[in-house]
Amino acid sequence: MSNTSPRRVRGSATPAAGVVTLEMVAQAAGVSPSTVSRILNGTARVSQVKQQAVDAAIQSLGFRPNPVARGLAGGRTLSIGVLTQTISSPFYGEALHGIEDRLDEAGYIPIFVSGHWQEAEERKALDALMARRVDGLIVLAGRLSNRALQAGAGNVPMVVVGRQMQGPRVHGLCFDNRAGAAMATQHLIDCGHARIAYIGGEPDHADAHERLAGYREALDRAGLPFDPALVTPGDYTEAGGLLAVNRLLDARLPFTAIFAANDQTAIGAALGLYRRNVRVPDDVSLVGFDDLAPARFAIPPLTTVRQPVYEMGFQAAAAMMALLRGETAQVSLPSLQLVPRESVRRLQR
Amino acid sequence: MSNTSPRRVRGSATPAAGVVTLEMVAQAAGVSPSTVSRILNGTARVSQVKQQAVDAAIQSLGFRPNPVARGLAGGRTLSIGVLTQTISSPFYGEALHGIEDRLDEAGYIPIFVSGHWQEAEERKALDALMARRVDGLIVLAGRLSNRALQAGAGNVPMVVVGRQMQGPRVHGLCFDNRAGAAMATQHLIDCGHARIAYIGGEPDHADAHERLAGYREALDRAGLPFDPALVTPGDYTEAGGLLAVNRLLDARLPFTAIFAANDQTAIGAALGLYRRNVRVPDDVSLVGFDDLAPARFAIPPLTTVRQPVYEMGFQAAAAMMALLRGETAQVSLPSLQLVPRESVRRLQR
DNA sequence: TTGTAGGCGTTATCAA
DNA sequence: TTGATAACGCCTACAA
């Protein structure tokens, strides 16, 4: 029999003082390490006596399993990679919050990395995540193609927010942007507006196209003409909205309302209107999209379409947990809702 | 001689297909694993020949070291724990962005966890971080006492933003809130205002007290009386600002200006004033603190004190890197600056 | 039900 | 300068 006592001759990492290992728990409880492991993971049944002995040892020693070692041995790191675009974005920030809360419930931890809407960065971020051996991947929008994502993710399960994807270990989750935009436009039409301008989002974001489609759909349904001159691009930022509204005003076309592709755009537009002495809603009505905090406190408070973003993050994480259990994710997103406030005026006829 | 060939008899984690290990690189290059490791870490000199052979093998095999294994063996995970309060906060979001960018430069990854301004949650988050064996800790404000932080951090280096702390492996980093607040108040005084109300921040945040002190300081310096009735608490949110301004108005005390403890408070206050038909800046001037995006696009654009938050995060991460190198962190924060916009009116005399 | 004995992919020590 | 080898702390296949 060779020597099996835990000699420490040479080693690498100096064990941090006060670190309690599973082996120490086993010794204290008078059982083998495997038994402790089994109890920790619920891998097999163990007798009541040992169960209690181990529990007691864990308590008294204050043992906490080392996730790093677990990751190496078990192949699970209990961490989920989250590829987001800008960690400081007011929109995605809420989603991250939801993800964090749901993962926490399950003992997982999110690892956030930003792609900044740039393919190269996204690819790099994805690599970093995979190198960290995350157990799953949640992707928030982005520019990477579905193929690139699939390839980059290897064989870990993936939840993608903002695009349609289905597969055995993949789940897509999105809001119905088209319906939301139609709802916003319809609201303006219901208030008597017929000349409605549209300030779009980033031209190469899918949701920007869907919102434009929703706008046209509502116009069509009401039998109103679609005037391309009333449509101008934005970039989902306040500055973009400001610029866009200036173009609209400079064109000297008549319009009584503006539907902006998101709240930030609408808020920028509102400032642009203010600068030109066009009053909201007296002269021009304004509707946004998202319902972030600034919309609620804008002057006047902004009518918008509410996207439950926190909930979206929460559900994305829930879907991931399902995928990890080998189930097919079956989560549903709450639908979008119009939030009427004070930036829209009912036209007299 | 015992058998040293890499037999795989029984194991645990099934090695994921396509995973390239350091050992495979060593074989391909015809050297020992230790040599590969040395090259990877620059731990020792190796001959040109082997150097190149290994580099080639790494390239062709597409090898990427496994951080999890590194963490176990080397005791370093190349990750930094970041204890923040609300990941979706517009203020801290910017800081996280800065941290992320600086850490990325150094090959480190941030692990963000939220404490939600609650001691119990912060403690839990701290534990989770330490269990993950992060190499360092960056703490953004919070309620945990310095002692609790020190204890929770064990012996990993720590950078704390928003409080004064010094130590061999600890570094504190803060803005001069007092000076910033004095600057804001002074600006109002310079514009001829004498009756200046103050809407405070969360009563138990240190920076809220500092800002109040700055407000008083400016008043004193100008020989203006301090009227406690003109001071009312807020909570750093828009809703808090709205409520506060209502209290101020209800008290029916005369004032010509308001200094709010942060932008969100100011924006809420602006809405409150609007609701009561008090115009900004014609009837009341308004100054905020932070200079977040919404301030720039408020109507009218908000005069405020700019805190370079991104930079703050960046510097905090830089300090951490210095600490990790065993140096004493010696980073400096850019100072606060007044950003005059349109929410302040110069009083005629 | 329980224990034994690798092995996960790296780093670090020792000896050459 | 290089290579063998023993950890790092845990999990699990296998044997008992």
Side-chain angles (χ1 to χ4, degrees):
Chain A
M1 282 271 95
S2 65
N3 188 342
T4 60
S5 75
R7 266 180 319 153
R8 163 177 293 282
V9 206
R10 40 192 176 201
S12 35
T14 316
V19 167
V20 182
T21 70
L22 181 148
E23 189 172 343
M24 295 167 64
V25 172
Q27 273 198 341
V31 303
S32 76
S34 20
T35 299
V36 178
S37 173
R38 284 191 267 260
I39 291 180
L40 250 35
N41 301 288
T43 314
R45 302 172 91 81
V46 297
S47 66
Q48 281 285 316
V49 227
K50 307 213 169 187
Q51 172 86 260
Q52 289 173 355
V54 169
D55 283 346
I58 289 179
Q59 282 298 319
S60 69
L61 295 179
F63 169 73
R64 300 209 33 178
N66 179 336
V68 179
R70 277 186 155 175
L72 230 207
R76 305 187 324 151
T77 54
L78 292 181
S79 65
I80 301 294
V82 181
L83 177 54
T84 180
Q85 297 309 318
T86 314
I87 200 146
S88 56
S89 143
F91 182 78
Y92 289 113
E94 274 304 312
L96 301 187
H97 198 351
I99 290 175
E100 188 183 28
D101 284 355
R102 180 62 182 85
L103 290 187
D104 189 57
E105 280 181 13
Y108 278 76
I109 196 170
I111 297 188
F112 300 119
V113 295
S114 306
H116 300 116
W117 295 110
Q118 286 177 254
E119 227 182 289
E121 283 199 61
E122 285 178 46
R123 197 180 304 277
K124 184 163 158 274
L126 197 57
D127 278 359
L129 251 18
M130 296 316 295
R132 298 264 164 188
R133 302 296 192 272
V134 294
D135 296 339
L137 208 57
I138 298 180
V139 179
L140 264 32
R143 292 233 161 84
L144 235 39
S145 70
N146 283 5
R147 291 176 55 89
L149 275 181
Q150 296 266 24
N155 45 23
V156 312
M158 181 164 65
V159 172
V160 184
V161 173
R163 32 180 130 173
Q164 289 295 2
M165 276 178 94
Q166 284 297 350
R169 319 246 305 152
V170 185
H171 193 258
L173 212 56
C174 20
F175 285 120
D176 191 342
N177 283 288
R178 182 179 173 125
M183 201 182 292
T185 312
Q186 185 62 51
H187 175 63
L188 288 168
I189 295 172
D190 290 344
C191 289
H193 296 272
R195 299 281 303 168
I196 304 170
Y198 174 69
I199 305 181
E202 281 275 8
D204 57 343
H205 286 29
D207 48 21
H209 291 286
E210 292 163 28
R211 291 180 197 173
L212 175 58
Y215 162 79
R216 297 195 58 162
E217 179 182 310
L219 251 29
D220 283 355
R221 249 185 350 225
L224 291 172
F226 167 73
D227 181 352
L230 248 29
V231 173
T232 188
D235 59 2
Y236 283 147
T237 71
E238 291 91 348
L242 183 85
L243 261 28
V245 84
N246 280 337
R247 284 194 301 273
L248 244 22
L249 257 18
D250 290 339
R252 305 201 150 281
L253 294 164
F255 60 89
T256 62
I258 299 175
F259 168 41
N262 76 349
D263 286 352
Q264 287 173 267
T265 301
I267 285 169
L271 181 58
L273 293 169
Y274 169 80
R275 290 260 178 266
R276 304 275 207 116
N277 287 313
V278 178
R279 292 161 307 166
V280 175
D282 311 83
D283 302 323
V284 164
S285 291
L286 187 59
V287 178
F289 204 107
D290 282 353
D291 194 27
L292 302 178
R296 218 155 42 241
F297 293 92
I299 294 180
L302 185 68
T303 293
T304 188
V305 176
R306 173 161 166 64
Q307 296 202 72
V309 199
Y310 172 89
E311 192 68 17
M312 178 186 78
F314 197 90
Q315 296 293 356
M320 175 52 70
M321 296 296 100
L323 250 26
L324 250 18
R325 283 192 304 269
E327 304 166 12
T328 355
Q330 204 62 50
V331 305
S332 66
L333 238 34
S335 57
L336 305 178
Q337 287 198 295
L338 183 81
V339 184
R341 285 202 269 251
E342 298 156 49
S343 61
V344 173
R345 172 176 155 239
R346 182 169 290 277
L347 252 35
Q348 313 302 333
R349 55 183 68 201
Chain B
M1 283 260 101
S2 64
N3 190 341
T4 60
S5 75
R7 264 179 321 150
R8 162 178 295 283
V9 206
R10 41 194 176 199
S12 36
T14 316
V19 166
V20 183
T21 70
L22 181 147
E23 191 172 341
M24 296 167 63
V25 171
Q27 273 198 341
V31 302
S32 75
S34 338
T35 300
V36 178
S37 174
R38 285 191 268 259
I39 291 180
L40 250 35
N41 301 287
T43 315
R45 301 174 92 81
V46 296
S47 66
Q48 280 285 317
V49 229
K50 307 214 168 188
Q51 172 86 261
Q52 290 174 353
V54 169
D55 283 346
I58 289 179
Q59 282 299 319
S60 69
L61 294 179
F63 168 73
R64 300 212 30 180
N66 179 338
V68 180
R70 279 187 154 174
L72 228 208
R76 304 188 325 153
T77 54
L78 292 181
S79 65
I80 301 294
V82 180
L83 177 53
T84 180
Q85 297 311 318
T86 313
I87 198 142
S88 56
S89 141
F91 182 77
Y92 288 113
E94 275 305 312
L96 301 187
H97 198 351
I99 291 175
E100 188 184 27
D101 284 355
R102 180 62 182 84
L103 290 187
D104 189 57
E105 280 180 13
Y108 278 75
I109 196 170
I111 298 187
F112 300 119
V113 295
S114 307
H116 300 116
W117 295 111
Q118 285 177 255
E119 226 181 291
E121 282 198 62
E122 284 177 47
R123 198 180 303 277
K124 185 164 157 273
L126 197 56
D127 278 359
L129 250 19
M130 296 317 295
R132 298 265 164 188
R133 301 295 192 273
V134 293
D135 297 338
L137 209 58
I138 297 180
V139 179
L140 264 32
R143 293 232 161 84
L144 236 38
S145 71
N146 283 4
R147 290 176 55 89
L149 275 181
Q150 295 266 26
N155 45 23
V156 311
M158 181 163 64
V159 172
V160 185
V161 173
R163 33 180 128 172
Q164 288 296 3
M165 275 178 96
Q166 284 298 349
R169 320 248 302 153
V170 186
H171 192 257
L173 211 56
C174 19
F175 285 119
D176 191 343
N177 284 288
R178 183 177 172 127
M183 202 182 292
T185 311
Q186 185 62 50
H187 176 63
L188 288 167
I189 296 171
D190 290 343
C191 289
H193 295 273
R195 298 281 304 168
I196 303 170
Y198 174 69
I199 305 181
E202 280 277 7
D204 57 344
H205 286 29
D207 48 21
H209 291 286
E210 293 164 26
R211 291 180 197 174
L212 175 57
Y215 161 80
R216 297 194 58 163
E217 179 182 309
L219 251 31
D220 283 355
R221 248 183 352 222
L224 290 173
F226 168 72
D227 182 353
L230 248 27
V231 172
T232 187
D235 59 2
Y236 284 145
T237 71
E238 291 91 348
L242 182 82
L243 261 29
V245 84
N246 280 337
R247 284 194 301 274
L248 243 22
L249 257 18
D250 289 339
R252 306 202 149 278
L253 294 164
F255 60 90
T256 63
I258 300 176
F259 168 40
N262 75 349
D263 286 351
Q264 286 172 268
T265 301
I267 285 170
L271 182 58
L273 294 169
Y274 170 80
R275 290 259 178 267
R276 303 275 207 115
N277 287 313
V278 178
R279 291 161 306 167
V280 175
D282 311 83
D283 302 324
V284 164
S285 291
L286 188 59
V287 177
F289 204 108
D290 282 351
D291 194 28
L292 302 178
R296 217 155 43 240
F297 292 93
I299 293 179
L302 185 68
T303 292
T304 189
V305 176
R306 171 159 171 65
Q307 296 203 71
V309 198
Y310 171 90
E311 192 68 17
M312 177 185 78
F314 197 90
Q315 296 293 356
M320 175 51 69
M321 295 297 100
L323 250 27
L324 250 18
R325 282 192 304 268
E327 305 166 12
T328 354
Q330 205 62 49
V331 305
S332 67
L333 237 35
S335 57
L336 305 178
Q337 287 198 295
L338 183 81
V339 184
R341 285 202 269 252
E342 298 156 48
S343 61
V344 173
R345 172 175 155 240
R346 182 170 290 277
L347 252 35
Q348 312 301 333
R349 55 182 66 198

